Amino acid sequence: MADLPKPEELVQIDHSPSLHKGLLGWMDTPVRIREGIALYAGKPQSLEYVGMPNPREWNPLDEDWKLPENWKEIILDGLRERLDRFRSLKVFMDICVRCGACADKCHFFIGGGDPKNMPVLRAELLRSVYRKEYTTAGKIMGKIAGARELTYDVLKEWWYYFFQCTECRRCSLFCPYGIDTAEVTIIGRELLNLIGLNVDWVAAPVANCYRTGNHLGIQPHAYKDMIDFFCEDLEEVTGIRPNPSMNRKGAEILFITPSGDVFADPGTYTAMGYIILFHYLESLGLDITWSTYASEGGNFGFFTSHEMAKRLNAKMYAEAERLGVKWILGGECGHMWRVIHQYMDTFNGPADHLEVPVSPITGTRFENAASTKMVHITEFTADLIKNNKLKLDKSRNDNLVVTYHDSCNPARGMGLLEEPRYVIKNVCNHFYEMPENTIREQTFCCGSGAGLNAGEDMELRMRGGMPRANAVRHVHEKHGVNMLACVCAIDRAALPPLMEYWVPEVDVTGVHEMVGNALILDGEQKRTTDLRGEPLPGMEEEEDV
Amino acid sequence: MTLEELLLQKRDAIKARWLQAVLESYPPDSRRFFKKQKDQFANPVGHAFSTELENLLQEIIEPSDPERLRASLDRIVRIRAVQEFAPSQGLSFLFLLKPIVREVVTDAGRDEDLQREMEALSTRIDGAVLAALDVYMTCREKLYILRADQMKNQVSALLRRAGLISEVPSWDAASEEGSENHPLNST
Ligand code: SF4
Ligand code: SF4
C-alpha cells in the first residue's frame, strides 16, 4: 500500500514558530510571500509623478525586487534620522517589555492565527534591527539580545507584514506603556518607501490625489457631473432639485468629503444625504460650497510618509484659502480625521487664514476645531438635531435595523464616539449596539484600512475583518440587524464584501444616507422610495403600480 | 452498548481531544490563544471551533438534519478557507476525528457489532468531508468573485454615469409583453 500521510501529519503546517517558543525562534522563520495576502507593487509612473525613489516595475512574488545597491545603507540612515526626529519612535524601540498584552488584540492575528501578526512581533521587525544597529547589547550578543541583521529576507518580511497592518491602533489601547504599533508601521512603511517598496493601492491614489485632488484621478468636470446626477436622482425621490454650488469663491464654508462618496456605491447615497441636508439648510442660512479640486478627504500620503501626508493635506487648506472660506466642513471619512486631528497642526497649521468654525444655523462655536478649523459632519448634524433645527421622519428608516461600526480613525484617532450614535438614534427607530468589547475605543477594524483595501489581498481582508463581522453576525442573529452604519468611505467600500463573505444578510450605509431619508424638505412630494430607489416601509404596494 | 450510546457517553472527552487535534494545526501562540480566550468576541475563531465541533460531533453520531451539519461545517470551513492552509490542510480537521473515535471503540473491547457500526460512522465522516469540500469551494469562489467585483465597485457610480454599464431590463419589464415572468417566455 502506498505510503499515505496520516491525518495528523496532513495538518502539520509550517507556520512560523512563536514568540514563546523562545523569543528567538520567530526570527529564523523565513518569510513566504503569498498570493491572496500580498498587495501589488506600486507602478513606476505613480512614483515618478510625485518624485518618490526607485520607480520601476517589480513584483513582490519575484526573487529580485530590483533595489538600489546601497539599499541597506539608505534604510539604516533613514532609521537613524527618524530615531532623532521622532522621540516616540525611540521610546517605542526601547521600552517594550514584551508583556504580551497587545499580542492577541490585532484583528489579523485573531482572525488569521499567523503569530507574526501579533502587534509585538510586528514592532519587533523594526526593533530587532534597531537593537542590532543601535544598542550595545544587540551589537555584541546578537540574537540572544533579540537583535538581527537587516538582510534581504528581513527586508521582505518588513514589507509583507507592514502591509498587513491597517494602522488601526487597537493594540495600543491595551499596551501598559502606550506603545503604538501603528506608528511603528507608519515609520516602517516610510523607510520602505525610501527604496521604492510600496503598494499600488497607496502609490496610485497618492499620485492621483496629487494631480487631480482625488484618489481615482477623476477630473473636475466628471466630479461635477456626478453631483448633478445625484441631484437628478434626488429630484425623482423628493420632487425637489437641489442646486449645490461648486468651487464658489466667497462661500462661508468649504465641504470636503472622500471621493468614494461621489463615485462608489454605497457611498454615493451618503453623498446624496449631504446634498439633501445642505439644501434643507440653505434657507436657514447655510452658505457652503463643494470643490472639484479638494475633491478627496482621504489622505493616502499618510500611508506613505509624513512628508507625503503633509503635501496632500496642504491641498485642502490651499483650496480653502483660494476660495476664501471661513472654515471647512468634513464629510464621513476615516483617516482624513486622524490626519486632521493628530497631524494637521504640526504639518500645515495653524490655519490662520480660516476662522474658528461657528455653525451658521445654531451659532454653536466648535472650540474643538479652534486650530484645525475643520468640523466633522456628524458633529455638525448632531448639533443641528440637538437644537431642533431638523424636521425628521424616523419611520422612513423603519425597514432598517441598524448597528454602528466605529471606524478606527474617528473613534480611536479623534474620540468621535457619541455624535454618530446621536444622529443615528434621531433618524431611525431600530438601533442595536454590538458587544462592548468590539465597539467604541475597542472597535474592531474593517480589516482593509491604510491602503489594504485592494482586490488582490482579499483573503487577508477577510481574515482581518473576521472579528468585526463576527460581532455583526451576533446582532444580526439576536436583533435582526440588517444594516451596518459607519462614518468612513473606506468602510463603505470594505464592509460590503466583508459582509457578503461572513454575514450576507447585512448591508452597509453611511450615517448621512439615513439622515437624507429621514429629513422632511419643505414642499417635497410624498416619498415612496428611499435614496437607493427602494420602496419605503409601507410603500411596497405603490411601487408595484 | 451501541456505538451511538458509547460515543454519546464519551462525547465531551472526544470533543475535547478533537478540538485539541484541530488546534494542533496552528503554531503554538495561536493555538494557546484560540484555546484559552473564552470570550466569543475577543476570540471568534476559537469560539467557533469549540461550539461547532460539538455540533458536528452530535450530527455525526446522531444525524438529525443535513442542514445543521452543513451550517456547522460552514462556520468552520469559512474560517479555514481564508487562513494560511492548503485546501487539504484546511479540510483535514474532519479526518482527525477518526483515530479519536477508533481509540474509544478499541478501549471498549473488540465487540464486532461496534466495529461494524464504526464502519458506518466512518462513512458518515467521509460524507461530511464531501459536504465540507462543497463549502470550501463556495468560499473560495466567493473570494474570487469579491476580488473581481472590487474594481467595478470602486467606480460603480462613475461607470453608470458614463453609460458604460448597461443594465439588463428587469423581469417585470419583459413580462409586460408576455404572460410569463421571464424574458425568454415572453414571446
Ligand atoms: S503591550 Fe506594550 S509592552 Fe507589552 S508587548 Fe505589547 S508593545 Fe510591548
Ligand atoms: S493592524 Fe491595528 S491592531 Fe494590528 S498591529 Fe496594526 S495597529 Fe495594531
Side-chain angles (χ1 to χ4, degrees), chain B residues 56-119:
Chain B
L56 268 181
L57 186 59
Q58 180 63 37
E59 279 301 312
I60 287 170
I61 301 174
E62 276 184 311
S64 69
D65 176 2
E67 195 35 51
R68 282 187 57 182
L69 177 84
R70 214 204 53 80
S72 289
L73 284 172
D74 190 289
R75 290 289 265 268
I76 297 176
V77 172
R78 196 163 288 276
I79 293 170
R80 307 270 292 184
V82 292
Q83 291 182 329
E84 205 77 18
F85 298 110
S88 56
Q89 295 166 329
L91 296 182
S92 58
F93 70 95
L94 283 161
F95 291 113
L96 295 175
L97 182 58
K98 287 191 183 180
I100 298 170
V101 172
R102 213 170 279 130
E103 218 177 294
V104 171
V105 173
T106 312
D107 287 351
R110 290 219 151 262
D111 180 330
E112 278 203 2
D113 285 345
L114 275 188
Q115 295 297 341
R116 232 189 347 269
E117 287 178 72
M118 182 63 212
E119 279 295 304

Side-chain angles (χ1 to χ4, degrees), chain A residues 413-434:
Chain A
M414 74 180 284
L416 189 83
L417 304 169
E418 297 307 332
E419 290 84 347
R421 290 181 164 79
Y422 182 77
V423 174
I424 292 172
K425 287 178 194 163
N426 277 284
V427 297
C428 65
N429 283 312
H430 312 297
F431 174 73
Y432 298 95
E433 291 279 15
M434 283 182 273

Side-chain angles (χ1 to χ4, degrees), chain A residues 11 14 22 41 57 64 169 177 227 255 305 315 352 361 372 459 466 505 534:
Chain A
V11 294
D14 57 342
E57 294 281 355
D64 180 6
R169 296 182 86 203
Y177 298 93
I227 302 285
F255 179 62
S305 69
K315 294 192 76 175
D352 283 338
I361 323 290
T372 62
E459 202 172 316
M466 194 267 177
E505 301 84 356
E534 281 160 21

